[in-house]
Amino acid sequence: MGILEKIKDIEAEMSRTQKNKATEHHLGMLKAKLAKLRQQLLEPPKSSGKAGDGFEVLKSGDARVALIGFPSVGKSTILTKLTETESLAAAYEFTTLTCIPGVIQYHGARIQLLDTPGIIEGASQGRGRGRQVISVARTADLILMMLDANKGEIQKRLLEEELEAIGIRLNSQPPNIYFKAKTAGGVNFTATQALTKTTEKLVKSILHEYKIFNCDLVIRCDPTVDEVIDAIEGRRSYIRCLYVYNKMDHMSMEDVDRLSRQPHSVVISCNMNLNLDFLLDKIWDYLNLVRVYTKLRGAPPDFNDALILRQGATMEDVCRYLHKELVSQHKYTIVWGLSAKHCPQRVGISHVLEDEDVIQIVKK
């Protein structure tokens, strides 16, 4: 029996098993077996066959955004609208057959936007080029899930299931679980709070399913069975996602208002250029980028050339960004902006910067 057949059998057994306290352990074990089989499906054995065409695009710019969606939902159109790259758009499905990159110039940042081929149901199991498309999404800092506004809820559910099956968790944080495999000593299990969604017995059974008999496991939250499996697997990607509902010009105002009030959602129309500026603002907010401007002593700051950093960046990150030897030569920095308690403020190398700060670095 192949991997796909085993996956279907386990999914069928899970669907016909009632969820209650008596079946909790059995369902947990089925989820662990399912996760193992899906991981084997994603990493097939290496073959010596002829290499195929390249699909991955070299990462460039300050951040990467991937467009994911079913065929004919407007991915190529929005790439053309937001960037200077022309992506073929037509009235038939599967117009885009490879990954096409573009660059969004926004607030001085260069954001790489990837137009991927439309995926179909069963993409996580290798149908079409779905596995390659979803693998590209793993490398992105933000996923734009393009949805047809008229059938968005169905498409959203199917796409979330495909991404979930391949190990991508949308708009969620990794569970506060510490896991480390060892060579001896048995299983050291520690839970700092009461577990209501799983049990110690079930967690140890899952570890045995993965053939892990020696490890340290510290749980500092109240996780579900899926979150425990994610911590053991350790190959999950936690990525922010924006649900972009296209073709709002075909909807009533009541439906537009309903969709726009849903969390992480933006309603647009590519053909009529409606709400694209708000979409750019949301992309910027979700990427958590910070602009930092530099100035020389006695000179005004250069607002035309910003340093683009991640939120939470410190002066040490700025020094490494400018030159690797600047860290050892750094004496102090004068800061103007939101991160300063008073303007100007003299700070050290561990100072955390905020958006649109102005800095003047003084060397030893």
Side-chain angles (χ1 to χ4, degrees):
M1 183 184 294
I3 296 178
L4 290 176
E5 288 77 13
K6 291 180 181 178
I7 289 175
K8 288 181 180 178
D9 288 346
I10 293 177
E11 288 177 342
E13 185 175 352
M14 289 176 63
S15 65
R16 65 174 177 260
T17 302
Q18 293 183 353
K19 294 182 180 180
N20 52 51
K21 283 287 183 182
T23 61
E24 194 177 69
H25 188 277
H26 178 62
L27 285 172
M29 295 303 298
L30 289 177
K31 287 180 179 180
K33 292 177 180 179
L34 190 62
K36 277 185 64 179
L37 291 172
R38 282 174 173 167
Q39 192 60 41
Q40 294 175 20
L41 193 64
L42 296 178
E43 297 179 358
K46 295 182 180 179
S47 62
S48 58
K50 183 180 177 181
D53 297 331
F55 194 86
E56 174 62 23
V57 176
L58 181 66
K59 195 169 185 176
S60 65
D62 301 301
R64 169 179 278 195
V65 179
L67 290 165
I68 299 294
F70 286 100
S72 300
V73 292
K75 298 188 300 297
S76 299
T77 305
I78 200 170
L79 178 76
T80 305
K81 297 282 185 181
L82 299 182
T83 71
E84 297 178 355
T85 304
E86 290 288 336
S87 182
L88 179 62
Y92 53 87
E93 295 184 346
F94 300 105
T95 311
T96 304
L97 298 176
T98 187
C99 191
I100 301 175
V103 176
I104 301 174
Q105 301 282 353
Y106 193 69
H107 288 332
R110 299 179 71 256
I111 302 171
Q112 186 182 47
L113 183 63
L114 299 181
D115 177 20
T116 59
I119 64 177
I120 56 178
E121 191 174 355
S124 60
Q125 299 175 1
R127 293 188 62 189
R129 302 196 72 178
R131 192 179 296 168
Q132 292 95 320
V133 172
I134 300 177
S135 297
V136 169
R138 276 181 174 274
T139 66
D141 302 301
L142 173 67
I143 292 176
L144 288 188
M145 188 179 291
M146 294 294 296
L147 305 166
D148 189 327
N150 295 311
K151 39 189 173 182
E153 295 306 315
I154 299 174
Q155 292 184 349
K156 177 181 176 181
R157 178 180 57 81
L158 293 174
L159 286 171
E160 284 179 337
E161 289 175 356
E162 297 296 334
L163 294 174
E164 184 88 10
I166 207 168
I168 295 177
R169 306 292 180 256
L170 301 177
N171 296 321
S172 61
Q173 297 294 326
N176 193 359
I177 298 175
Y178 171 79
F179 171 77
K180 183 179 180 181
K182 301 187 301 183
T183 55
V187 175
N188 297 322
F189 179 88
T190 304
T192 59
Q193 65 183 72
L195 302 180
T196 61
K197 303 170 185 174
T198 184
T199 62
E200 181 179 351
K201 179 183 177 182
L202 176 55
V203 172
K204 289 184 176 180
S205 298
I206 293 173
L207 289 170
H208 290 169
E209 176 65 29
Y210 280 89
K211 294 181 172 55
I212 299 173
F213 305 102
N214 302 284
C215 70
D216 290 330
L217 185 66
V218 182
I219 299 178
R220 301 186 180 92
C221 59
D222 186 14
T224 62
V225 174
D226 294 318
E227 289 175 332
V228 172
I229 293 172
D230 288 348
I232 295 172
E233 287 267 0
R235 298 174 183 175
R236 303 296 185 251
S237 300
Y238 296 85
I239 306 174
R240 303 198 76 182
C241 176
L242 264 177
Y243 303 103
V244 183
Y245 294 89
N246 189 21
K247 305 177 183 178
M248 65 179 288
D249 49 308
H250 296 168
M251 302 175 62
S252 64
M253 288 301 297
E254 290 78 10
D255 290 335
V256 171
D257 182 67
R258 178 181 57 83
L259 289 176
S260 62
R261 293 179 183 275
Q262 293 182 2
H264 314 294
S265 299
V266 180
V267 185
I268 66 167
S269 173
C270 292
N271 291 332
M272 299 187 68
N273 295 333
L274 297 176
N275 220 24
L276 295 183
D277 52 348
F278 180 69
L279 174 61
L280 285 173
D281 287 339
K282 295 292 284 185
I283 291 174
W284 176 264
D285 292 341
Y286 272 60
L287 286 174
N288 290 330
L289 297 178
V290 174
R291 293 162 290 177
V292 177
Y293 303 98
T294 59
K295 72 179 292 293
L296 298 174
R297 184 177 180 181
D302 183 9
F303 290 110
N304 295 321
D305 187 14
L307 304 178
I308 308 298
L309 306 167
R310 300 287 177 180
Q311 195 172 49
T314 63
M315 276 306 306
E316 183 176 357
D317 298 318
V318 173
C319 292
R320 294 187 188 279
Y321 183 90
L322 296 173
H323 197 280
K324 61 182 180 180
E325 295 182 358
L326 194 55
V327 177
S328 58
Q329 298 174 356
H330 181 272
K331 185 176 182 181
Y332 63 87
T333 299
I334 302 175
V335 179
W336 295 261
L338 293 174
S339 68
K341 295 181 180 178
H342 50 81
C343 292
Q345 180 187 1
R346 182 185 293 191
V347 300
I349 200 168
S350 61
H351 179 75
V352 179
L353 297 167
E354 295 289 345
D355 191 28
E356 295 189 298
D357 276 355
V358 176
I359 61 172
Q360 176 186 323
I361 299 176
V362 178
K363 299 195 293 186
K364 294 177 183 177

